[in-house]
Amino acid sequence: MTRVLYVKASPRGEASASHRVAMAYIHALSEKGTVELDTLDVWKEELPAFDGAALEAKYVGLSGQPLSKEQRAGWQAIQTLGNRFHSADQLVMSVPMWNFGIPYRLKHLIDLVTQKDVLFTFSNGAFDGKLKAKRGIFVCARGLGYGTDGFPEEQFDYQKSYLTAWANFVGISDIQVIRVE
């Protein structure tokens, strides 16, 4: 059985090209064996704010101090989201390009879960991602092909570079990017 966390980052539903391609990938994967699918739609999921008690919990936790009841509740919401990443064998993301990057709701999710002792550790002056042995499939849709006509990819595509840098940071090194143009 393959456990897939599908992060759906387009608000366009079935009209989304990245969603359709991601679902085709998941369907093809299911033809090879059983797939347990956990869908996290960043536009429908109630993502907690990263302020107040949750933000204070981050800094109190970093200092090694005990968390207050309110801080524990805020941090628990972040850990619960992080556990969904840990439970998956594969992370599939359908991501439209917005203003050369990723949608703000996906950035919000990434900001929430990319925390010390949630998706990475820090010790002896070094970071270590906790999602090793996971596979990342990023379906990146964009309105045009970069690399020609005065739009060099390295200058205009922060979608793919951001997602792959983030994945590497949290320990995912087996990454496949599927471009939809």
Side-chain angles (χ1 to χ4, degrees):
M1 175 175 55
T2 304
R3 294 174 307 228
V4 173
L5 174 59
Y6 171 39
V7 177
K8 187 176 175 184
S10 174
R12 297 187 68 220
E14 297 301 316
S16 164
S18 62
H19 169 68
R20 290 192 312 268
V21 171
M23 291 308 297
Y25 171 82
I26 292 167
H27 176 74
L29 187 63
S30 70
E31 290 181 341
K32 295 178 180 180
T34 305
V35 170
E36 181 182 300
L37 183 63
D38 176 11
T39 301
L40 196 166
D41 184 334
V42 298
W43 299 96
K44 294 180 180 173
E45 190 87 18
E46 190 67 39
L47 298 174
F50 193 51
D51 61 4
L55 185 60
E56 288 304 313
K58 171 184 178 166
Y59 290 107
V60 169
L62 288 172
S63 71
Q65 301 299 314
L67 302 179
S68 71
K69 182 179 177 182
E70 185 178 63
Q71 291 166 340
R72 270 193 312 279
W75 198 250
Q76 182 59 47
I78 290 168
Q79 288 178 315
T80 298
L81 279 172
N83 288 342
R84 292 172 76 175
F85 286 79
H86 285 281
S87 294
D89 301 309
Q90 291 192 26
L91 170 63
V92 176
M93 288 188 174
S94 62
V95 185
M97 180 184 278
W98 283 14
N99 296 317
F100 313 113
I102 64 174
Y104 69 93
R105 293 282 297 185
L106 177 57
K107 176 74 167 68
H108 181 178
L109 172 66
I110 289 171
D111 287 344
L112 286 169
V113 298
T114 309
Q115 301 297 326
K116 180 182 176 293
D117 299 327
V118 177
L119 294 190
F120 71 91
T121 60
F122 182 77
S123 64
N124 300 320
F127 294 102
D128 190 28
K130 295 179 75 172
L131 297 182
K132 291 176 175 63
K134 310 250 183 236
R135 185 160 197 236
I137 307 296
F138 303 131
V139 180
C140 296
R142 53 196 193 181
L144 62 109
Y146 290 95
T148 60
D149 299 328
F151 292 98
E153 187 170 355
E154 62 276 356
Q155 185 178 356
F156 288 93
D157 182 358
Y158 297 104
Q159 177 194 43
K160 176 188 168 204
S161 61
Y162 180 85
L163 292 171
T164 55
W166 169 78
N168 281 299
F169 180 77
V170 297
I172 301 171
S173 59
D174 182 1
I175 300 167
Q176 179 181 0
V177 177
I178 301 169
R179 289 204 175 126
V180 180
E181 297 178 345

